[in-house]
Amino acid sequence: MPEALPDLLAADGVLFDLDGVLTPTAEVHMRAWKVVFDQVFAQWGITPEYTDADYYEYVDGKKRYDGVASLLRSRNVEIPWGDVDDAPEAETICGIGNRKNAAFASSLRAEGIAPYPGSLAVVERLHAAGIPLGVVSSSKNAEEVLASAGIRSFFRIVVDGVVAERDGLASKPAPDMFREGGIALGVDPARSIAVEDATSGVASAAAAGYADVIGVDRGTGADALRAAGATVIVDDLSLFLPTLSNDTTETA
């Protein structure tokens, strides 16, 4: 770009979103949402048709059911919320969300997932340097994705959709999840860094008071990330590698 990059090695901790930041699962999510919403829109005669722009504006970064409700509300469609145990065929917010999750889980288990190489390299160097690392993800599949990608051991804590539902944490863009991430990791957000690719996640981290919020532009757009509160924009975390010492594996 280039922009002045924050010093990751000087942070109390670094907290990462998962989908679209650490792993390309955002693409799997996008495909699963499109399959489900195309079906729902056709069945109910909803217009205008669902687009990728809808994903970024109404769904990306939010908890699953909140994303469904937000998207349908954009088309002036209101349906019962239902229950988290609703069958995927149920015509409820939870039913549609569960239908999407079944499509996502099927794809993940069939194809697997690998981390972005640049993200993996940054995480490896920060972990070797002893920087506390955590994941803050709205996905209820976060633990499975991290395990599938072979990177779960790098992160001391995971605050995900399961934790959010259990503890009553509001969905991003509310600050709750990133605030809880800082507490769980034992770091002060004012001296820590958050990394996000969704406007809702950027806004959540900014509202939680993180010193820097790195926006990773995988398609959302730099202007949108900046407007949400990102302090620096990159298109890949590999841009940080020159700032990370190659000798971080030495024992202090």
Side-chain angles (χ1 to χ4, degrees):
M1 306 200 159
E3 293 192 60
L5 301 177
D7 185 357
L8 300 181
L9 293 172
D12 274 11
V14 182
L15 291 95
F16 298 84
D17 178 43
L18 176 59
D19 303 320
V21 170
L22 296 173
T23 61
T25 32
E27 300 166 14
V28 185
H29 282 292
M30 284 185 72
R31 291 196 299 270
W33 280 120
K34 181 168 176 54
V35 167
V36 169
F37 281 131
D38 280 352
Q39 180 186 55
V40 168
F41 278 34
Q43 180 181 342
W44 296 349
I46 298 173
T47 57
E49 67 181 12
Y50 177 77
T51 67
D52 286 349
D54 288 317
Y55 172 80
Y56 289 119
E57 184 167 358
Y58 302 111
V59 179
D60 190 23
K62 296 180 181 177
K63 291 191 288 186
R64 188 187 313 156
Y65 305 136
D66 289 342
V68 174
S70 178
L71 187 280
L72 292 181
R73 198 172 298 121
S74 76
R75 302 301 199 271
N76 297 312
V77 174
E78 296 286 345
I79 62 174
W81 189 272
D83 184 81
V84 295
D85 295 323
D86 282 355
E89 299 79 19
E91 294 186 348
T92 62
I93 295 294
C94 292
I96 292 173
N98 292 345
R99 195 181 313 171
K100 175 264 169 183
N101 193 58
F104 172 82
S106 176
S107 179
L108 178 67
R109 289 161 191 166
E111 302 173 15
I113 199 72
Y116 288 109
S119 299
L120 175 60
V122 167
V123 166
E124 287 176 332
R125 292 194 187 181
L126 292 176
H127 182 263
I131 304 299
L133 305 178
V135 170
V136 179
S137 170
S138 295
S139 175
K140 287 185 175 180
N141 300 295
E143 290 282 4
E144 182 178 358
V145 171
L146 287 165
S148 179
I151 57 175
R152 177 61 181 90
S153 61
F154 291 117
F155 302 99
R156 299 186 187 181
I157 62 98
V158 175
V159 175
D160 61 4
V162 175
V163 173
E165 183 173 291
R166 183 194 69 201
D167 296 346
L169 304 177
S171 183
K172 301 171 184 178
D176 299 39
M177 294 190 72
F178 269 103
R179 184 180 293 143
E180 179 60 28
I183 293 170
L185 194 57
V187 299
D188 181 358
R191 295 194 299 271
S192 300
I193 293 172
V195 189
E196 265 282 358
D197 73 313
T199 55
S200 59
V202 167
S204 173
Y210 280 76
D212 280 288
V213 182
I214 298 167
V216 183
D217 184 10
R218 307 281 193 196
T220 300
D223 290 344
L225 292 168
R226 184 84 66 187
T231 55
V232 63
I233 313 291
V234 297
D235 58 11
D236 194 87
L237 292 184
S238 60
L239 293 178
F240 282 90
L241 292 176
T243 74
L244 301 176
S245 172
N246 288 323
D247 60 2
T248 55
T249 53
E250 291 183 4
T251 302

